[in-house]
Amino acid sequence: MREYLKFYIDGKWVEPVEMKTMDVENPATEEVCGKIAVGSAADVDKAVKAARKAFTSWSQTSREERLEVLGRILAEYQKRFGDLATAVTEEMGAPASLAQRAQVPIGMGHLATAVEILKTFKFEEDRGPTMIVKEPIGVCSFITPWNWPLNQIVCKVAPAIATGCTMVLKPSEVAPFSGQIFAEIMHAAGVPPGVFNMIHGDGIGVGVPMSSHPDVDMVSFTGSTRAGIEVARNAAPTVKRVSQELGGKSPNIVLDDDAFAKGVGRGVASMMVNSGQSCNAPTRMLVPAGRMAEAIAVAKATAETVTVGDPNGNSQLGPVVSRVQFDKIQKLIQAGIDEGATLVIGGTGRPEGLDKGYFVKPTVFANVTNDMTIAKEEIFGPVLSILGYETVDQAIAIGNDTEYGLAAYVQGADLEAARKVASKLRAGQVSINGGGGDMMAPFGGYKMSGNGREWGDFAFHEFLETKAVLGYAPKPAAE
């Protein structure tokens, strides 16, 4: 049983202003596995004041000083690799293999990428008589979710450290263990007091004061579109910068060619990763209507190979994160059945042999139309919808017919044809034939999937203000 009853503020572990606690549940067992203190506006105020005080000196540090700190953070992160992997599996149900192969390494990737970018990043640009200067924006509030907890913490913290910002982090209260360990890593790395602060708590008690505090200059939020709208509203009165990575309903267009079966299989497998709990999951597969039967056969065969069970065993899928999520997914699966989609495999209820834990059957629907609930709403579970199209132009139109625009996918043997489709999809990131894993590629969405970009050098710019110093260089003397 884990107990995390202190917050990390100004370089020290401190008691909450008022002690309130919350139980943390293991989604694989439905049993309480830990307890955290729950913060308040008073705790947020303490953390923001510490960050504001630290900003005065941290913002003036040299490139070399920040590189040294990032290097120490990366070294400490590597030391805690096993602890982090165990925590992620326990708190949100990621299979141990996924935690060790992806959930934890991606945090290291963001740190290493920030180091490489910082070595040569241009904070000043000479434009004739004017000097353009990039300066740290200030104190940042980070509100992060539970589905890829370390990715979403470190992709904010690393560029913020690199650019000279200070910060307050609220990890998800649903999956807080990895965030706690990350704060321990920051302490062990000797990050100067006040540069990094961490408070546990929920959206109302901690998230709202973090996004509305007048001494916070920027809020970076990852989560649902509904919550993102509230964050923006809270931030508006003080005109802070708001960066949001929100929901998605990503199309996956499989072209009519010799790579069709491979594309369908790849799409099903990608959909099931992390139990479908990824905002950029390829949830809507579009196939030629005349090949729907073939798509159904390939999708069914692929889904049948996906194993679900104990995340500490050899299963490919663990549970979804909570009963709230489980119940939501079950309702949406039932909606798909009720609205007339063809249930290819899966359905409601737990997989056979599992009577405890928030396990969801790998589910595939076919003959889905874009007006059905399962084609419109973000399910956030291992549920795939297959839609038919008559022409590629129609596939693109269907793909873009969503309020979201986070990601999109194209599968096809003809690379030029796939590129042409990709150019017409309204999404912040488009993957062709399984392309991915580029830590320098910007990540973020169009439309209601958010604003701003994370990852790589694009993330650096989110944490910088632009200053023009006119008359920096004297004008050449007239001849």
Side-chain angles (χ1 to χ4, degrees):
M1 177 75 73
R2 300 173 188 255
E3 281 200 354
Y4 297 139
L5 303 181
K6 292 184 178 181
F7 305 141
Y8 189 68
I9 299 175
D10 205 16
K12 297 182 284 292
W13 293 99
V14 301
E15 300 277 352
V17 172
E18 181 182 355
M19 180 59 76
K20 294 181 180 178
T21 63
M22 175 186 294
D23 289 338
V24 179
E25 188 179 24
N26 182 325
T29 64
E30 300 183 45
E31 295 174 356
V32 173
C33 60
K35 180 183 292 187
I36 58 170
V38 178
S40 65
D43 297 297
V44 171
D45 191 56
K46 286 176 62 177
V48 171
K49 284 178 178 175
R52 175 58 62 195
K53 181 178 69 175
F55 180 71
T56 302
S57 57
W58 181 248
S59 63
Q60 298 304 308
T61 52
S62 68
R63 183 192 309 269
E64 290 69 29
E65 288 173 296
R66 296 176 199 169
L67 283 168
E68 172 66 23
V69 170
L70 282 168
R72 295 201 305 265
I73 296 169
L74 179 55
E76 293 297 331
Y77 190 105
Q78 290 168 326
K79 290 179 187 177
R80 300 296 298 273
F81 187 102
D83 295 337
L84 289 166
T86 299
V88 170
T89 296
E90 185 177 11
E91 68 188 358
M92 56 79 61
S97 59
L98 182 67
Q100 294 162 6
R101 188 181 74 250
Q103 288 272 7
V104 178
I106 200 167
M108 292 189 338
H110 287 301
L111 286 165
T113 300
V115 167
E116 290 306 308
I117 295 167
L118 180 56
K119 287 177 182 177
T120 58
F121 190 86
K122 292 184 178 180
F123 290 97
E124 295 182 352
E125 180 186 351
D126 184 354
R127 290 192 179 183
T130 300
M131 177 65 74
I132 306 298
V133 183
K134 297 284 189 177
E135 297 181 339
I137 193 169
V139 176
C140 304
S141 288
F142 296 153
I143 303 172
T144 60
W146 46 261
N147 59 322
W148 287 88
L150 290 162
N151 170 63
Q152 289 145 326
I153 288 172
V154 188
C155 78
K156 300 179 193 302
V157 170
I161 291 284
T163 53
C165 295
T166 59
M167 65 216 72
V168 181
L169 167 70
K170 186 195 90 64
S172 169
E173 71 276 20
V174 177
F177 300 158
S178 53
Q180 173 80 18
I181 295 171
F182 185 78
E184 293 171 4
I185 288 167
M186 298 293 275
H187 182 70
V191 176
V195 171
F196 172 86
N197 306 272
M198 188 274 298
I199 300 173
H200 290 300
D202 58 18
I204 297 297
V206 176
V208 170
M210 280 178 64
S211 56
S212 60
H213 199 291
D215 276 340
V216 168
D217 301 292
M218 174 186 178
V219 183
S220 181
F221 171 82
T222 302
S224 70
T225 297
R226 176 193 55 77
I229 291 168
E230 292 306 310
V231 166
R233 283 179 175 148
N234 295 332
T238 48
V239 200
K240 11 177 144 291
R241 184 178 299 175
V242 179
S243 178
Q244 302 167 311
E245 193 263 284
L246 308 175
K249 196 67 183 175
S250 303
N252 181 14
I253 298 176
V254 184
L255 300 179
D256 188 2
D257 57 31
D258 292 342
F260 179 79
K262 183 177 181 181
V264 172
R266 181 191 289 126
V268 174
S270 298
M271 182 62 239
M272 301 303 165
V273 172
N274 207 39
S275 296
Q277 299 172 121
S278 299
C279 45
N280 62 341
T283 53
R284 292 181 298 144
M285 180 183 291
L286 287 90
V287 303
R291 302 185 75 168
M292 180 65 74
E294 184 181 350
I296 288 172
V298 173
K300 185 172 187 292
T302 304
E304 284 174 340
T305 68
V306 178
T307 56
V308 185
D310 181 2
N312 288 301
N314 296 319
S315 300
Q316 294 166 270
L317 265 65
V320 296
V321 75
S322 66
R323 179 171 293 281
V324 170
Q325 288 299 118
F326 179 85
D327 289 345
K328 174 192 171 187
I329 294 164
Q330 297 302 308
K331 288 178 182 176
L332 286 165
I333 292 173
Q334 188 60 54
I337 295 169
D338 293 343
E339 292 179 17
T342 302
L343 181 62
V344 174
I345 191 170
T348 56
R350 293 183 178 88
E352 187 176 349
L354 296 171
D355 57 3
K356 198 173 192 181
Y358 306 124
F359 297 95
V360 176
K361 295 175 184 176
T363 298
V364 176
F365 285 102
N367 297 305
V368 176
T369 56
N370 219 33
D371 59 348
M372 290 182 180
T373 303
I374 56 172
K376 293 190 295 184
E377 292 194 22
E378 186 175 36
I379 299 173
F380 232 60
V383 182
L384 173 67
S385 298
I386 305 178
L387 300 83
Y389 67 84
E390 297 296 337
T391 66
V392 172
D393 285 344
Q394 185 189 35
I396 294 166
I398 294 170
N400 288 333
D401 183 19
T402 172
E403 63 185 13
Y404 298 112
L406 184 59
Y409 302 79
V410 186
Q411 320 291 330
D414 184 337
L415 183 57
E416 282 305 313
R419 287 171 174 168
K420 186 175 181 180
V421 172
S423 72
K424 297 179 180 179
L425 291 168
R426 299 282 295 168
Q429 195 171 86
V430 184
S431 173
I432 297 174
N433 292 332
D438 184 354
M439 299 297 296
M440 290 293 292
F443 188 73
Y446 289 22
K447 299 186 280 187
M448 293 191 77
S449 286
N451 51 69
R453 293 295 181 269
E454 297 183 317
W455 294 47
D457 57 316
F458 292 86
F460 276 47
H461 292 287
E462 293 295 318
F463 295 101
L464 295 168
E465 290 281 23
T466 302
K467 175 188 286 182
V469 185
L470 288 78
Y472 188 87
K475 294 180 180 180
E479 293 184 2

